[in-house]
Amino acid sequence: MIYYKTPEEIELLRESNLLVSRTHAEVAKVIRPGITTLQLDQIAESYIRDMGGVPGFKGYRGFPYTLCISVNEHVVHGMPSKRELREGDIISIDCGVVKNSFYGDSAYTYCVGEVKEEIMKLLRVTKEALYKGIEKAIVGNNIGDVSNAIQEYAGRKHRYGIVRELVGHGVGRQLHESPEVPNYGKKGSGIRLKKGLVIAIEPMVNMGRRHIEQLADGWTIATRDGKPSAHFEHTVAVQPNQADILSTFEYTEAAIKSNIELSEVI
Ligand code: MG
Ligand code: MG
């Protein structure tokens, strides 16, 4: 069952997604070597609650934290811990909130200090692949057009491994609604996109092979070959000529930029 949203519901979804986006920025401000992923989680939780939201992942199927934080070869669903970040790490942060009964969901992969150029390229290509998919999220296209655009760009053009076991999804009063939005597939396949459909598009792209495994904590998904992985996600509303992106990276990228400028001054 697919729930198509009214324009009023889309505005509520935008509000939830903007809260997710601002939460990312609060966390981005303090990402640096030495901070623990648990500290980042606590900053996100207090901010979301201060802003009148509720962490969307906390308690979801028993997940105990506000953020999923996945370091280096961890793909998604990483658990915040006392692990200290180190120069050269990358961390994928996935954040969800509920506000006014609607979910927001967005993910971004951050650099900790200076990161190797080949890893920077993985991040750049994964983010670009997300936008390639979003370009296809318009009325009249099919889910497969979104999926195929991501696969063509990150997989065929850049030869990265695209995770298949985990996919994007509808977003609304539930965190995960129909339809599934895979990051690979054939053009023209899957359901036809209609106005009112709101989906999270979220490529998970590995520097090496696509294969993954679940760690013993029961949550963390990691690459099987131990190579780094990146994850970028936006929640978007399908529209006739151009998708309406309900989350934004604007705040978090402004925070990253001011972090870099600050470190140059010091
Ligand atoms: Mg997410
Ligand atoms: Mg998602």
Side-chain angles (χ1 to χ4, degrees), residues 57 94 105 233:
F57 299 164
D94 197 349
D105 188 11
E233 174 182 33

Side-chain angles (χ1 to χ4, degrees), residues 45-66:
E45 177 166 6
S46 343
Y47 182 76
I48 291 167
R49 294 193 190 280
D50 285 351
M51 301 303 283
V54 173
F57 299 164
K58 199 166 189 171
Y60 185 83
R61 295 190 185 162
F63 188 78
Y65 298 102
T66 293

Side-chain angles (χ1 to χ4, degrees), residues 29-45:
K29 282 179 194 167
V30 297
I31 292 176
R32 54 178 151 69
I35 197 160
T36 70
T37 55
L38 196 58
Q39 286 174 292
L40 301 180
D41 190 74
Q42 286 159 352
I43 288 164
E45 177 166 6

Side-chain angles (χ1 to χ4, degrees), residues 94-201:
D94 197 349
C95 179
V97 309
V98 198
K99 198 177 177 189
N100 303 315
S101 307
F102 284 91
Y103 277 86
D105 188 11
S106 177
Y108 197 95
T109 302
Y110 298 86
C111 296
V112 182
E114 294 246 0
V115 167
K116 279 188 204 154
E117 174 50 35
E118 59 165 358
I119 300 177
M120 299 283 288
K121 185 183 169 198
L122 171 72
L123 271 45
R124 202 160 56 235
V125 168
T126 307
K127 188 166 78 169
E128 286 164 358
L130 166 61
Y131 286 104
K132 297 278 180 195
I134 291 173
E135 270 176 34
K136 301 291 178 187
I138 54 173
V139 172
N141 275 354
N142 293 67
I143 285 286
D145 295 313
V146 175
S147 307
N148 184 261
I150 295 168
Q151 180 184 21
E152 279 292 306
Y153 189 73
R156 209 175 64 86
K157 182 161 185 231
H158 288 284
R159 313 303 300 168
Y160 289 131
I162 295 179
V163 173
R164 295 186 166 217
E165 292 83 349
L166 299 148
V167 295
H169 49 91
V171 182
R173 290 178 188 272
Q174 302 294 325
L175 176 59
H176 294 126
E177 296 185 353
S178 288
E180 290 195 340
V181 186
N183 297 303
Y184 66 96
K186 289 197 175 71
K187 278 185 193 167
S189 67
I191 63 149
R192 183 65 63 91
L193 303 178
K194 294 202 294 190
K195 201 167 156 58
L197 183 68
V198 175
I199 49 176
I201 302 176

Side-chain angles (χ1 to χ4, degrees), residues 179-250:
E180 290 195 340
V181 186
N183 297 303
Y184 66 96
K186 289 197 175 71
K187 278 185 193 167
S189 67
I191 63 149
R192 183 65 63 91
L193 303 178
K194 294 202 294 190
K195 201 167 156 58
L197 183 68
V198 175
I199 49 176
I201 302 176
E202 50 178 315
M204 287 151 257
V205 178
N206 299 344
M207 182 169 276
R209 295 176 61 88
R210 70 173 179 83
H211 304 99
I212 55 170
E213 60 188 14
Q214 189 171 51
L215 302 189
D217 63 17
W219 283 102
T220 311
I221 303 294
T223 59
R224 222 187 280 168
D225 62 13
K227 294 188 179 167
S229 182
H231 181 212
F232 287 84
E233 174 182 33
H234 270 316
T235 296
V236 310
V238 170
Q239 294 290 353
N241 299 312
Q242 192 176 32
D244 183 359
I245 307 175
L246 304 178
S247 44
T248 175
F249 295 150
E250 195 183 315

